[in-house]
């Protein structure tokens, strides 16, 4: 025991100075918004090491073999051909219908069971048959036709598709990877299939938990301290203009340091469309770190419910130096109060743009769900932003019903890295005769198309509640029309 303790003390004395210098270098570069490219090099090495060599040769192949052996023991079903070692990753990705190792949808469907039947049924082939009619003696000008059993086949098909693959509940679970990335939480526990996999996984575990995790925790706490102290000092400045300018610097510097604690590698596209004036920056929502990622380039005014605990500490710190909109729990339900606060904010030209996530909940970055219309009723310019994470290096999705904030942060800090692409899109404004829901859907469609996400009509609050009664009644009414031949 004494020998072990002496070895640990010697190792700490040797590594202490380089470790401290590394942290100081990271903090300094983050504060000025620069990077040496070390994180991108690290991600490229991971990609070549785990995706090309280890994950395919020792990971995917042995996983496939283990699955086949399990199937052969339980049934006589035909086995799938093995994955050749020399096959490039692009070929495997193409064959499995996946992008960046992410499992795609099983079924290509025409949505006819959404929350708005009057829109969905327009694409229904059976409905077209009803409209065209099957009777030659049908009086001209009448819409009513005889009912045929085939008229409901598309409904039966849609129901079976929903049973096989539910579009709604699947977006509230982490993406399933086709190729294992040596993180046990992103797929089934494959680390003990073979001794080679066990050794590789153990080496990665040591790197992530005994080197990366302590480094990231220190950077994270330094970022929090910088945010709290800098905003506290700025709150003492009596001049609003100076406090606002310094507050923007403090805001961006703090978030740049914080994202270093998860080894973020973000690629920003089309920065000429980045928000430059007052208005709303609208983005799809995957995680609380969406705010930190977008705040690397732009200072925003944040909007949300007032929290206690750690999040409340950050909210109070940010509110000292820059204008943010925090609501009490009772105020959030008052739409008029929220709209009034938003209008007051955008009426001041010097205020930063408001960052909003209209989905209202975190989605697993495969889809975009219904946008709430509230922010689109206020007016002002909308700056759409699409965020797409690469799940091969770490899962950014926060399943708040399963993990608390601290557990989620631990998962993030013990991942290999967080890699994402951010696309700024041209500013959009509401047309003169366009309703707020239509404008919200138009913005949502643009974000979904640019980010390569599935555009869903469903409300993200289905994560916590049952389908609305009105939706069920609309479907029942539409089905009754078919039965009557209308």
């Amino acid at each position: 025991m004494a020998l072990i303790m002496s070895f640990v003390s010697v190792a700490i004395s040797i590594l202490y100075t380089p470790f401290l210098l590394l942290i100081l270098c990271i903090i300094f570069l983050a504060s000025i918004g620069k990077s040496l490219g070390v994180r991108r090099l690290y991600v490229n090495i991971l990609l070549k090491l785990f995706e090309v060599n280890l994950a395919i040769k020792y990971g995917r192949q042995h996983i496939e073999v283990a699955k086949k052996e399990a199937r052969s023991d339980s049934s006589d079903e035909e086995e799938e051909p093995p994955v050749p070692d020399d096959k490039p990753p692009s070929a495997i990705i193409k064959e499995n219908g996946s992008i960046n190792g992410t499992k795609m949808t099983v079924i290509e469907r025409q949505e006819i069971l959404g929350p708005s039947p009057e829109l969905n049924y327009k694409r229904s082939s059976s409905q077209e048959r009803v409209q065209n009619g099957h009777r030659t003696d049908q009086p001209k000008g009448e819409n009513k036709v005889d009912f045929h059993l085939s008229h409901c086949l598309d409904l039966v098909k849609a129901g079976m598709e929903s049973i096989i693959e539910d579009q709604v509940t699947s977006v509230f679970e982490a993406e399933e990877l086709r190729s294992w990335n040596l993180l046990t939480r992103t797929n089934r526990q494959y680390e003990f299939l073979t001794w080679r996999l066990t050794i590789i996984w153990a080496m990665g575990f040591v790197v992530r938990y005994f080197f990366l995790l302590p480094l990231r925790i220190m950077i994270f706490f330094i970022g929090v301290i910088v945010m709290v102290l800098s905003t506290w000092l700025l709150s003492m400045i009596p001049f609003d203009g100076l406090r606002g300018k310094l507050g923007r610097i403090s805001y961006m510097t703090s978030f740049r340091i914080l994202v270093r604690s998860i080894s973020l590698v973000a690629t920003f596209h089309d920065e000429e469309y980045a928000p430059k004036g007052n208005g709303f920056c609208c983005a799809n929502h995957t995680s609380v770190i969406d705010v930190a990622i977008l705040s690397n380039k732009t200072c925003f005014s944040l909007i949300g419910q007032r929290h206690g605990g750690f999040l409340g500490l950050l909210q109070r710190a940010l509110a000292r130096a820059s204008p943010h909109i925090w609501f009490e729990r009772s105020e959030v339900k008052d739409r008029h109060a929220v709209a009034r606060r938003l209008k007051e904010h955008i009426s001041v030209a010097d205020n930063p743009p408001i960052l909003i996530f209209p989905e209202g909940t975190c989605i697993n970055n495969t889809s975009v769900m219904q946008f709430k219309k509230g922010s689109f009723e206020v007016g002002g310019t909308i700056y759409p932003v699409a965020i797409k994470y690469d799940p091969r290096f770490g899962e950014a999705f926060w399943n708040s019903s399963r993990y608390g904030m601290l557990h989620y942060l631990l998962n993030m800090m013990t991942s290999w890295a967080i890699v994402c692409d951010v696309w700024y899109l041209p500013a959009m404004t509401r047309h003169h005769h366009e309703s707020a829901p239509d404008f919200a859907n138009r913005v949502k469609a643009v974000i979904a198309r640019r980010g390569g996400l599935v555009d869903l009509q469903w409300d993200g609050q289905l994560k916590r509640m049952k389908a609305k009664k009105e939706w069920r009644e609309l479907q029942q009414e539409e089905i009754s029309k078919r039965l009557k031949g209308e």
Side-chain angles (χ1 to χ4, degrees):
M1 188 66 182
L3 180 61
I4 295 176
M5 293 301 296
S6 61
F7 175 78
V8 171
S9 62
V10 171
I12 291 176
S13 62
I14 294 174
L15 297 175
Y16 175 76
T17 302
F19 193 77
L20 183 60
L21 290 175
L22 176 61
I23 291 179
L24 292 175
C25 180
I26 292 173
I27 300 303
F28 173 74
L29 291 173
S31 63
I32 61 176
K34 300 296 182 180
S35 176
L36 296 177
V38 175
R39 282 171 295 151
R40 290 191 181 275
L41 178 62
Y42 162 69
V43 166
N44 290 333
I45 292 174
L46 283 177
L47 187 61
K48 293 179 181 179
L49 184 63
F50 296 131
E51 179 80 4
V52 179
N53 296 322
L54 299 181
I56 290 179
K57 185 174 182 180
Y58 297 122
R60 179 176 173 79
Q61 184 178 9
H62 287 291
I63 289 170
E64 294 288 342
V65 171
K67 285 183 177 179
K68 289 178 209 170
E69 291 177 352
R71 285 198 299 267
S72 62
D73 293 339
S74 59
S75 64
D76 295 327
E77 295 179 0
E78 183 179 354
E79 297 181 352
E80 296 177 2
V83 179
D85 294 346
D86 57 347
K87 182 168 287 190
S90 58
I92 297 175
I93 290 173
K94 184 176 180 180
E95 288 179 5
N96 291 300
S98 59
I99 299 176
N100 288 343
T102 305
K103 181 181 178 182
M104 304 301 286
T105 55
V106 176
I107 300 171
E108 289 293 335
R109 70 185 88 193
Q110 287 186 340
E111 185 58 62
I112 65 166
L113 291 179
S116 300
E118 65 276 8
L119 299 178
N120 300 328
Y121 284 97
K122 289 181 179 180
R123 294 194 300 268
S124 168
S125 58
S126 294
Q127 185 69 3
E128 290 174 0
R129 288 195 297 270
V130 172
Q131 292 173 353
N132 294 333
H134 292 279
R135 291 175 53 184
T136 57
D137 59 342
Q138 183 70 28
K140 188 175 181 180
E142 290 191 16
N143 294 326
K144 188 173 180 179
V145 297
D146 290 339
F147 170 76
H148 294 276
L149 186 61
S150 61
H151 296 166
C152 289
L153 289 181
D154 55 346
L155 286 172
V156 176
K157 175 176 176 288
M160 294 300 295
E161 290 172 344
S162 298
I163 294 173
I164 296 170
E165 185 183 47
D166 182 7
Q167 283 185 318
V168 177
T169 57
S170 62
V171 303
F172 301 130
E173 295 291 337
E175 297 180 69
E176 198 70 17
L177 300 183
R178 297 289 300 181
S179 182
W180 185 43
N181 63 354
L182 304 182
L183 297 175
T184 58
R185 59 180 174 269
T186 56
N187 213 315
R188 296 185 178 89
Q189 296 186 0
Y190 293 131
E191 66 270 25
F192 300 119
L193 281 178
T194 67
W195 63 269
R196 290 179 178 176
L197 271 180
T198 303
I199 292 175
I200 296 170
W201 174 81
M203 292 170 60
F205 181 89
V206 170
V207 171
R208 290 186 289 113
Y209 280 86
F210 292 95
F211 176 72
L212 292 179
L213 180 60
L215 177 65
R216 289 169 174 174
I217 290 176
M218 291 186 67
I219 295 173
F220 178 78
F221 278 108
I222 291 173
V224 172
I225 292 171
V226 168
M227 177 182 291
V228 173
L229 288 181
S230 63
T231 53
W232 176 70
L233 292 174
L234 290 174
S235 65
M236 300 180 183
I237 299 177
F239 307 105
D240 293 340
L242 179 60
R243 185 171 65 247
K245 292 180 180 179
L246 295 178
R248 298 189 181 202
I249 297 174
S250 170
Y251 174 92
M252 296 178 64
T253 300
S254 301
F255 279 114
R256 284 170 178 169
I257 296 174
L258 288 174
V259 296
R260 259 63 171 189
S261 66
I262 55 175
S263 298
L264 174 73
V265 178
T267 303
F268 293 87
H269 307 272
D270 304 323
E271 293 188 48
E272 65 272 17
Y273 299 128
K276 297 180 177 63
N278 204 345
F280 296 92
C281 179
C282 173
N284 57 300
H285 197 24
T286 305
S287 163
V288 291
I289 66 169
D290 295 339
V291 175
I293 292 172
L294 295 177
S295 297
N296 269 259
K297 296 290 185 180
T298 308
C299 178
F300 292 105
S301 289
L302 305 180
I303 178 174
Q305 181 176 305
R306 197 182 298 275
H307 291 275
F310 178 70
L311 281 178
L313 173 68
L314 298 183
Q315 285 181 330
R316 290 189 295 273
L318 290 170
R320 294 191 193 107
S322 52
H324 300 280
I325 305 173
W326 308 125
F327 295 99
E328 299 294 344
R329 187 178 296 273
S330 58
E331 292 180 301
V332 175
K333 298 180 181 179
D334 189 348
R335 290 180 54 193
H336 297 290
V338 173
R340 176 174 49 80
R341 294 275 299 276
L342 293 177
K343 288 180 180 178
E344 290 175 356
H345 182 93
I346 64 174
S347 64
V348 180
D350 293 335
N351 282 343
I354 301 175
L355 179 59
I356 59 172
F357 301 102
E359 290 168 294
T361 189
C362 295
I363 311 299
N364 71 353
N365 209 228
T366 61
S367 308
V368 182
M369 302 196 79
Q370 182 186 88
F371 278 9
K372 306 295 184 184
K373 65 178 182 179
S375 301
F376 299 90
E377 292 176 326
V378 176
T381 304
I382 299 291
Y383 300 94
V385 177
I387 307 175
K388 179 63 178 176
Y389 292 91
D390 191 336
R392 292 175 294 180
F393 304 97
E395 181 54 62
F397 169 58
W398 181 24
N399 188 348
S400 56
S401 61
R402 183 176 180 183
Y403 299 118
M405 174 60 73
L406 292 179
H407 192 165
Y408 171 72
L409 288 176
L410 178 63
N411 285 347
M412 297 282 283
M413 291 185 182
T414 54
S415 297
W416 295 111
I418 299 299
V419 181
C420 69
D421 286 275
V422 178
W423 290 275
Y424 293 108
L425 299 167
M428 302 175 68
T429 55
R430 183 176 171 183
H431 296 157
H432 181 64
H433 297 292
E434 189 175 28
S435 65
D438 290 340
F439 183 33
N441 288 331
R442 183 160 61 93
V443 175
K444 177 167 69 80
V446 170
I447 293 175
R449 185 166 56 250
R450 192 64 190 88
L453 306 169
V454 180
D455 188 354
L456 299 179
Q457 301 179 42
W458 298 101
D459 188 354
Q461 295 305 317
L462 288 172
K463 181 179 182 178
R464 302 178 179 88
M465 68 178 188
K466 295 182 179 180
K468 294 180 180 179
K469 182 181 178 181
E470 294 82 1
W471 293 353
R472 296 196 300 269
E473 291 176 349
L474 283 173
Q475 296 291 348
Q476 293 167 359
E477 182 180 352
E478 185 64 33
I479 294 173
S480 68
K481 290 180 180 179
R482 290 194 176 200
L483 294 176
K484 295 177 182 178
E486 295 180 359

